[in-house]
Amino acid sequence: MAIRTSRVVFQFSSKTIYGERIRVTGNHPSLGNWDPFQAPMLSTDPNSYPLWITPSPISLPLNTEIEYKYVYMQEKTFRWESLQNNRKLLLEHNSMLIEDEESTIISRHIFNHTEIQTKPHSFELPKTIIDDNIKFALTDSLIIASLNLPINVSRNEKYIPGGDEPKWKFESAIGLWLPVLYEIAISEGINFQWVGWPHIFIEDEKEQSEISEILLKEYKCVPIFIPEETMTIYTQFCNGVLFPIFHNIISTDPESIPQYNSEQWESFKDVNSRISLKILELHTDQMIWIHDYQLLLTPSFISRRTHEVVNIGLYLHVPFPSSEIYRVLPHRETILHAMLCCDMIGFHLFEYARHFLASCKRLLGIDHHFSRGGYLLLDYYGRNIMIRIGHLGIEPSVIQKVLESEEYSESLDKLRQKYSEKSVLIAIDPLHRLSGVTMKLNAFRQTLKYLPKESQRIILVQLLFSAKNSSDKEKDCVLKEILDLQEEINSEYTVPVVEIVNDEVSRPMRYAYMTIAKGVINSSIREGLYLIPFEFIFINKERLADIILSEFAGVSRALSSPKRVNPFDLTQLEGEIHTLIDKAPNHQNLSRKKRDYQYILSNTTLKWAQSSLSDLKRAHKDTKHYQYVTHGLGDKLKLIALSKKFKILKAEDLLEAYRVARSRIFFFDNEGTLSNLCKQTEIDKTVGPSEKILHCLDDLCKDDRNIVYIITGRTRKVVDSWFGSIEHLGMAAEYGALIKWQDKHDWENIIQGSGVWKDTAKQIISAYVSRTEGSSLEEKDCGVVFYYRETDPDLGSWQAKELISHLEILLKPFLNECEVSHGLGYVEVKPRGINKGTTVFEILQELKRRKKDPPDFIFAIGDDVSDEEMFKVLKALRREQSDLTADKRYLKCFTCTVGKKPSLARHFINDASEVVGVLEILRGYSNKCKKNFSYGDLASLKLHSPFKSNTMRNPTDIVIESVESSDEDEDEKRSTLKRMTHPNAF
């Protein structure tokens, strides 16, 4: 009795040193019986490295557990892979692909019944593998862009022409991250230029040149000058619309509701456009690092204005809102597409990144995944965009210099003298409503009622600094509320207990306040970047001092020692303030504070910048395998990646191949290609392909040289209703489980097996449909489908993942007969090994069995992921010589996808409407050969440029479009005939 075997291909991802090769060995003769020198060798190539793969399948006994391991070989020596235990494999299927990775025992098993002898990785586009060894170096060039420059420019009031005083004053900007990042870039010797607004309005071009020259020469800054009116409207949009929305705040107050007019949006675009122009003026080959929400459109403007491949990163210093809040923005998709022109997008916390990913999923329908090394990547039109999570820290060395300065010592002496008899609590907040200052003051007021004796010695000093994202009207209103409340509280006691400092406090003075304070209190409603606790812990490293921190401040997730409070819970906030005032510092909190101190030392601004820039460098675009083009116009522009071999379908190439071919075969997808997409609930109401498409297919089938097949996932009933009237048309339903051969009238079921699994799958899917609103079930002749395209995106995705897991467990006894597949908006249980690729292979084998001439012209076209299986198989046939087709020297194989998008096809056309034109020109040539081609038929064909944008434009690229012949006069018909029958046309 013959032993049943499994044909196994091993794929191993690993880097090697020069001269090393990799073998796979194990406890079977086919694997060398643990002898590395007798074991099968794996191979690789420059396009696939570091993926190694067995060149041909290895036969191993079915239903047997195999132990194996990879070994690195040199001429006379070898070394084992680093795993302590052997890898194990249970051979349950006739054909298997085993995907392994270095340093992990976890394997991925793929079952494939296609018997084409080729390398599996030749079926796939190159995988995204991020090189951890890539690091940012000081020799790398960098352009940093932010709305404000780190240097503010102002006119010197003391300036007199011809005098000693300079005309312009240059001062360091005030901010939490801007001046610190600038100081680090200067001190570390980074090769950078900084683009932004210099905080001054100047119209005189001569003065603009003066300032630009000084800023570039002395400060490495490149200013953009924005008209005051534009800046005013732009600021209204940023501060009045984007800032509250990005902080998850939507006001119903008529004056604060986040509505905006076209003028505000256009001003936002204008400022972003100006900055992008300045960046491109400077750009040679530098990395570009863009900061914060004010410049969200800048990556898009850069991408649309250059044909160079640019390495762009974006870091948001504010939260990203939940998808429910974000979607109130009318230009929500535009902003997302603009952000996705970047190679890397950074957030403070995973919570903010999660909100961003949810918005991308809900609004754009794009998913994310994790790659090896823990990198979070967003899948966007063939590109992998890195999502980076890293909280900005402080720079201890910069703070230490301030603490050693004379100004700090003077400020400290002054404060100690002023508050010599007081116990000081401090609060440092920007002047806007989200700071929650009044909530803090009310809680402090309630606390003092229970501690009347403490009122003589305790004081809360509230430092307010100007918030750049608040309007003057809001600042005045909030300040009045704070001052009125302060006056009320102080009037209840004989001495002031609340002090408000509304002046800009210098950094030395701020650190002096932190030094004398018993504790710091924060009650922010929403705060993205709040570094005060970092500074407070570093300054008070040698003494006990407590922090009360709102749980809505982003920094609360990064530190463990602060007391987290909900500022809306007055009782909780009051209780923590009471503890801070009345009790000695908590010594048990000392260990947590030490951990936080070490965290601060190890997560500095410098390390944050270095790691961010290293990730940006790692995330650079893959120009080796892809071309990067913009798709769409204006606000709908997208940056997409296409294979370098990917090009538009040229009519002259297709027609020339069609003309000389002796045996032609066509493989057509239906929905999205020959006809429009339709919902599952609308199938019975849909008329299917147009009459024009049906006539074209009918004429193609009448040509003796042609064999035409429609391959679709629909049931045979639906396919028959759409195409049954065409004679000699081959049809494959349910991806090929049922085939109607082109010369027969009956359908053939090519599936073997009991089919018992179908009832089980139907019961499981029915249960999920009942619990998932908007979903539906379709029962096919050979499979069952769960559709969730019309459900809530998150619920549908969660349910689909659960369903897949549930099905794989309960259908395990039948997995040699069926498989669970997952596509865009559906989960399907279908016969194992059936897809459009295997169907194409089966059709070609059937032609061989019937002793038909092997085709020397193949045309396959489709629009979605299921059609990629066709392209995979045809790609393999084109690469490897096969007796299923003509000699590859003469084989003309056209694989075409509908729409310019990442695909394994070699060609594309813009949309389904152009498919008609392609069919009509082929049909026209066939009819011409039969001498049935009339002037009217030929005149109904018109050549036109397929491009609606200026991307990838080539005057020789043409496709065919059908137009009404009745609108053409006889002269134009004859002109068209002459053009189409020109020798170069066919």
Side-chain angles (χ1 to χ4, degrees):
M1 180 178 178
I3 299 176
R4 297 179 64 196
T5 61
S6 174
R7 297 165 61 78
V8 183
V9 173
F10 291 90
Q11 179 176 293
F12 186 47
S13 178
S14 175
K15 294 180 180 179
T16 56
I17 62 177
Y18 181 76
E20 276 189 334
R21 309 292 292 174
I22 297 179
R23 293 179 185 262
V24 56
T25 185
N27 62 346
H28 189 271
S30 296
L31 298 176
N33 277 332
W34 293 114
D35 183 352
F37 294 98
Q38 300 299 320
M41 182 79 77
L42 280 70
S43 64
T44 189
D45 57 58
N47 291 331
S48 304
Y49 181 81
L51 291 178
W52 296 76
I53 195 161
T54 48
S56 58
I58 299 170
S59 295
L60 294 169
L62 196 63
N63 298 320
T64 305
E65 185 175 85
I66 296 293
E67 292 191 15
Y68 67 100
K69 216 167 187 178
Y70 295 95
V71 59
Y72 300 83
M73 307 292 297
Q74 289 193 342
E75 286 188 13
K76 297 181 181 180
T77 61
F78 64 87
R79 62 183 177 91
W80 296 97
E81 63 171 310
S82 58
L83 295 178
Q84 293 182 352
N85 299 322
N86 295 332
R87 299 177 183 270
K88 294 184 179 181
L89 169 64
L90 180 61
L91 301 170
E92 298 180 295
H93 303 278
N94 295 329
S95 180
M96 299 178 70
L97 169 64
I98 311 301
E99 293 185 348
D100 292 314
E101 291 188 13
E102 185 180 8
S103 303
T104 175
I105 199 94
I106 299 173
S107 296
R108 182 169 178 246
H109 299 172
I110 300 174
F111 314 121
N112 183 5
H113 281 217
T114 305
E115 295 297 327
I116 298 174
Q117 302 302 314
T118 185
K119 298 179 182 180
H121 59 258
S122 69
F123 285 0
E124 302 177 1
L125 293 171
K127 293 184 177 180
T128 299
I129 298 176
I130 297 173
D131 189 351
D132 289 329
N133 296 320
I134 295 176
K135 305 283 186 185
F136 176 75
L138 294 179
T139 54
D140 292 325
S141 298
L142 175 67
I143 296 175
I144 304 175
S146 59
L147 173 61
N148 296 292
L149 282 176
I151 302 297
N152 287 343
V153 181
S154 60
R155 293 184 184 274
N156 188 350
E157 296 177 356
K158 298 180 182 179
Y159 168 73
I160 300 173
D164 296 332
E165 289 288 333
K167 185 176 181 179
W168 308 104
K169 291 173 66 176
F170 298 88
E171 299 173 315
S172 177
I174 296 174
L176 292 173
W177 64 271
L178 190 65
V180 179
L181 183 59
Y182 177 73
E183 288 177 28
I184 291 170
I186 293 290
S187 63
E188 293 295 323
I190 295 174
N191 182 13
F192 77 96
Q193 290 175 304
W194 200 306
V195 177
W197 178 55
H199 216 268
I200 188 172
F201 297 109
I202 297 178
E203 295 182 3
D204 186 271
E205 292 185 2
K206 184 178 179 181
E207 290 185 333
Q208 289 181 2
S209 298
E210 289 176 11
I211 293 173
S212 298
E213 186 177 347
I214 297 171
L215 282 172
L216 181 59
K217 185 177 180 180
E218 299 184 17
Y219 300 97
K220 291 189 162 185
C221 291
V222 181
I224 57 160
F225 297 96
I226 304 170
E228 186 170 2
E229 183 181 358
T230 300
M231 194 65 179
T232 301
I233 300 171
Y234 166 82
T235 304
Q236 289 172 355
F237 179 78
C238 289
N239 297 344
V241 179
L242 291 183
F243 182 79
I245 286 178
F246 272 67
H247 283 78
N248 267 325
I249 303 295
I250 298 181
S251 174
T252 55
D253 181 1
E255 294 185 1
S256 305
I257 196 166
Q259 277 186 318
Y260 58 91
N261 54 39
S262 60
E263 186 181 24
Q264 289 177 304
W265 174 248
E266 290 302 320
S267 69
F268 183 66
K269 290 168 61 178
D270 183 24
V271 173
N272 278 264
S273 176
R274 290 170 185 266
I275 289 183
S276 70
L277 284 171
K278 184 61 69 175
I279 289 172
L280 290 174
E281 283 179 22
L282 303 171
H283 186 264
T284 51
D285 195 28
Q286 305 100 315
M287 292 188 290
I288 299 172
W289 197 16
I290 300 168
H291 288 267
D292 228 355
Y293 68 99
Q294 297 97 334
L295 304 185
L296 291 177
L297 298 184
T298 301
S300 175
F301 281 109
I302 292 172
S303 298
R304 74 178 67 181
R305 285 175 170 153
T306 181
H307 296 293
E308 297 178 16
V309 176
V310 186
N311 190 199
I312 308 175
L314 170 68
Y315 191 87
L316 280 183
H317 294 274
V318 295
F320 196 89
S322 65
S323 58
E324 289 76 14
I325 298 294
Y326 178 76
R327 67 196 306 172
V328 307
L329 279 171
H331 292 90
R332 56 203 180 187
E333 289 93 350
T334 300
I335 292 174
L336 287 180
H337 284 306
M339 294 174 69
L340 294 171
C341 287
C342 295
D343 300 315
M344 183 201 74
I345 305 172
F347 300 91
H348 286 309
L349 303 171
F350 179 71
E351 176 188 347
Y352 306 157
R354 179 166 51 83
H355 288 163
F356 173 72
L357 295 173
S359 294
C360 290
K361 172 70 175 176
R362 284 177 169 270
L363 298 175
L364 305 181
I366 56 179
D367 291 309
H368 60 276
H369 70 278
F370 285 91
S371 74
R372 192 178 68 186
Y375 294 99
L376 177 56
L377 303 176
L378 194 62
D379 307 318
Y380 180 75
Y381 292 98
R383 294 171 52 225
N384 285 291
I385 300 165
M386 185 186 293
I387 306 299
R388 187 179 190 280
I389 294 97
H391 199 288
L392 176 65
I394 59 172
E395 193 56 37
S397 60
V398 174
I399 297 176
Q400 191 61 43
K401 285 181 182 178
V402 176
L403 297 179
E404 295 169 359
S405 68
E406 187 176 341
E407 186 181 353
Y408 166 77
S409 299
E410 292 174 358
S411 300
L412 184 59
D413 291 341
K414 197 179 297 182
L415 292 181
R416 279 176 172 164
Q417 185 178 356
K418 179 179 179 180
Y419 300 109
S420 58
E421 298 180 357
K422 295 286 186 178
S423 179
V424 180
L425 302 178
I426 64 167
I428 306 173
D429 299 287
L431 184 57
H432 57 59
R433 291 198 181 279
L434 297 183
S435 297
V437 175
T438 55
M439 301 166 73
K440 179 193 312 167
L441 295 181
N442 280 321
F444 182 69
R445 182 183 197 174
Q446 289 296 113
T447 303
L448 290 184
K449 289 181 179 180
Y450 297 104
L451 300 168
K453 294 180 181 180
E454 298 295 333
S455 63
Q456 298 297 317
R457 68 175 188 86
I458 197 76
I459 186 168
L460 173 61
V461 181
Q462 173 68 62
L463 306 179
L464 297 172
F465 58 88
S466 179
K468 296 177 182 178
N469 36 45
S470 294
S471 64
D472 292 337
K473 182 178 179 181
E474 182 186 357
K475 291 176 187 175
D476 293 341
C477 183
V478 173
L479 181 59
K480 184 177 184 305
E481 292 174 4
I482 293 172
L483 294 177
D484 288 347
L485 185 54
Q486 176 207 16
E487 186 178 347
E488 285 181 25
I489 296 172
N490 285 341
S491 66
E492 297 172 0
Y493 301 95
T494 56
V495 293
V497 293
V498 176
E499 181 182 341
I500 305 296
V501 180
N502 188 33
D503 296 324
E504 289 290 345
V505 174
S506 66
R507 194 186 295 179
M509 179 60 80
R510 185 170 84 234
Y511 294 164
Y513 270 110
M514 292 183 184
T515 304
I516 67 165
K518 183 179 181 181
V520 62
I521 306 172
N522 169 267
S523 58
S524 62
I525 297 172
R526 190 77 174 173
E527 192 70 60
L529 181 62
Y530 187 69
L531 298 178
I532 300 302
F534 284 72
E535 295 177 336
F536 189 80
I537 290 173
F538 178 78
I539 291 169
N540 294 286
K541 54 183 173 289
E542 295 179 357
R543 73 183 184 95
L544 287 171
D546 289 331
I547 301 172
I548 299 174
L549 185 59
S550 168
E551 65 184 50
F552 301 113
V555 72
S556 67
R557 280 77 151 181
L559 299 174
S560 60
S561 60
K563 308 285 183 61
R564 294 186 185 87
V565 295
N566 179 353
F568 294 95
D569 187 342
L570 182 62
T571 304
Q572 185 191 19
L573 181 56
E574 175 194 327
E576 293 297 344
I577 295 175
H578 186 290
T579 302
L580 184 60
I581 294 173
D582 194 42
K583 295 184 179 179
N586 185 359
H587 288 272
Q588 295 178 349
N589 198 35
L590 186 60
S591 61
R592 288 196 294 270
K593 185 178 177 182
K594 287 181 178 178
R595 284 200 303 272
D596 286 344
Y597 179 70
Q598 291 302 319
Y599 172 82
I600 290 168
L601 292 181
S602 59
N603 291 273
T604 63
T605 307
L606 174 60
K607 290 185 178 178
W608 166 81
Q610 287 175 333
S611 60
S612 293
L613 291 171
S614 293
D615 276 349
L616 173 56
K617 192 174 178 181
R618 293 180 187 120
H620 67 90
K621 299 176 180 69
D622 180 7
T623 54
K624 182 178 180 181
H625 298 103
Y626 298 101
Q627 54 183 323
Y628 295 87
V629 297
T630 53
H631 182 61
L633 296 173
D635 290 350
K636 296 184 178 180
L637 181 136
K638 311 173 188 69
L639 181 64
I640 66 176
L642 303 172
S643 168
K644 282 197 168 181
K645 298 178 181 178
F646 194 58
K647 57 186 179 181
I648 195 164
L649 182 65
K650 293 184 178 181
E652 61 265 34
D653 295 342
L654 184 68
L655 289 170
E656 176 61 22
Y658 187 83
R659 183 183 67 82
V660 300
R662 298 189 176 191
S663 176
R664 315 181 190 108
I665 189 164
F666 295 84
F667 300 106
F668 291 106
D669 170 48
N670 179 37
E671 288 178 67
T673 305
L674 297 179
S675 62
N676 294 324
L677 289 168
C678 65
K679 298 178 183 178
Q680 173 62 21
T681 54
E682 297 176 348
I683 289 178
D684 295 335
K685 306 173 188 175
T686 305
V687 295
S690 65
E691 286 295 319
K692 199 170 287 186
I693 287 283
L694 294 175
H695 287 320
C696 288
L697 292 174
D698 189 32
D699 283 346
L700 287 176
C701 290
K702 289 176 181 176
D703 190 324
D704 293 337
R705 295 187 185 185
N706 294 343
I707 296 174
V708 183
Y709 274 88
I710 306 293
I711 307 177
T712 175
R714 295 300 183 188
T715 64
R716 59 179 166 184
K717 178 182 176 182
V718 172
V719 179
D720 256 334
S721 68
W722 285 343
F723 299 101
S725 60
I726 302 175
E727 290 188 16
H728 307 298
L729 174 65
M731 292 179 274
E734 300 185 27
Y735 304 106
L738 298 158
I739 296 181
K740 185 177 182 180
W741 304 105
Q742 85 279 3
D743 54 356
K744 295 184 179 180
H745 296 286
D746 297 324
W747 288 84
E748 179 181 332
N749 188 336
I750 66 169
I751 303 304
Q752 297 179 354
S754 63
V756 177
W757 52 268
K758 186 180 170 186
D759 291 333
T760 305
K762 181 181 176 182
Q763 291 177 16
I764 298 169
I765 292 175
S766 296
Y768 277 80
V769 169
S770 66
R771 297 195 297 269
T772 311
E773 187 175 351
S775 66
S776 61
L777 178 149
E778 180 188 12
E779 183 177 0
K780 300 180 177 180
D781 291 307
C782 300
V784 190
V785 190
F786 171 73
Y787 291 100
Y788 63 93
R789 199 174 296 161
E790 305 302 316
T791 67
D792 175 271
D794 285 334
L795 176 62
S797 179
W798 294 336
Q799 291 288 69
K801 289 176 183 176
E802 275 299 311
L803 175 59
I804 292 170
S805 177
H806 199 176
L807 287 169
E808 288 178 343
I809 293 171
L810 294 182
L811 294 178
K812 189 173 183 180
F814 309 105
L815 285 182
N816 60 331
E817 295 183 24
C818 68
E819 63 182 4
V820 181
S821 64
H822 182 208
L824 183 60
Y826 70 88
V827 174
E828 182 168 6
V829 185
K830 61 181 183 179
R832 174 162 296 285
I834 295 297
N835 57 53
K836 291 189 178 183
T838 56
T839 300
V840 165
F841 192 71
E842 177 66 25
I843 291 170
L844 293 173
Q845 282 189 318
E846 180 66 17
L847 294 179
K848 177 185 174 184
R849 287 192 288 266
R850 297 184 184 191
K851 302 188 183 304
K852 298 277 189 180
D853 290 338
D856 55 355
F857 174 93
I858 301 175
F859 182 69
I861 185 169
D863 75 307
D864 67 12
V865 67
S866 65
D867 301 301
E868 297 298 313
E869 300 295 335
M870 281 198 301
F871 305 149
K872 283 181 185 180
V873 170
L874 293 174
K875 181 179 180 181
L877 288 170
R878 190 174 64 244
R879 179 177 295 181
E880 307 290 338
Q881 182 62 55
S882 170
D883 58 359
L884 298 181
T885 63
D887 190 298
K888 64 180 182 180
R889 291 175 297 175
Y890 309 111
L891 174 64
K892 299 296 182 182
C893 182
F894 294 86
T895 51
C896 183
T897 187
V898 179
K900 193 195 303 182
K901 59 181 182 288
S903 172
L904 290 170
R906 300 186 71 180
H907 304 86
F908 73 92
I909 59 175
N910 285 314
D911 53 49
S913 63
E914 293 178 353
V915 177
V916 183
V918 172
L919 294 184
E920 287 205 330
I921 194 62
L922 298 180
R923 161 210 189 189
Y925 180 79
S926 289
N927 286 343
K928 173 178 173 289
C929 292
K930 292 188 296 182
K931 299 182 179 181
N932 291 331
F933 199 65
S934 67
Y935 282 109
D937 290 333
L938 199 52
S940 68
L941 303 175
K942 177 183 175 184
L943 297 177
H944 78 104
S945 170
F947 295 104
K948 299 171 185 173
S949 68
N950 60 358
T951 57
M952 297 176 67
R953 188 184 297 272
N954 187 327
T956 65
D957 293 345
I958 52 173
V959 294
I960 316 304
E961 181 182 38
S962 174
V963 296
E964 294 298 327
S965 60
S966 59
D967 295 333
E968 296 179 326
D969 57 24
E970 194 64 27
D971 290 338
E972 186 170 355
K973 291 180 183 179
R974 294 181 182 276
S975 174
T976 304
L977 174 62
K978 183 179 180 181
R979 191 167 64 245
M980 297 300 295
T981 55
H982 189 276
N984 291 337
F986 292 98

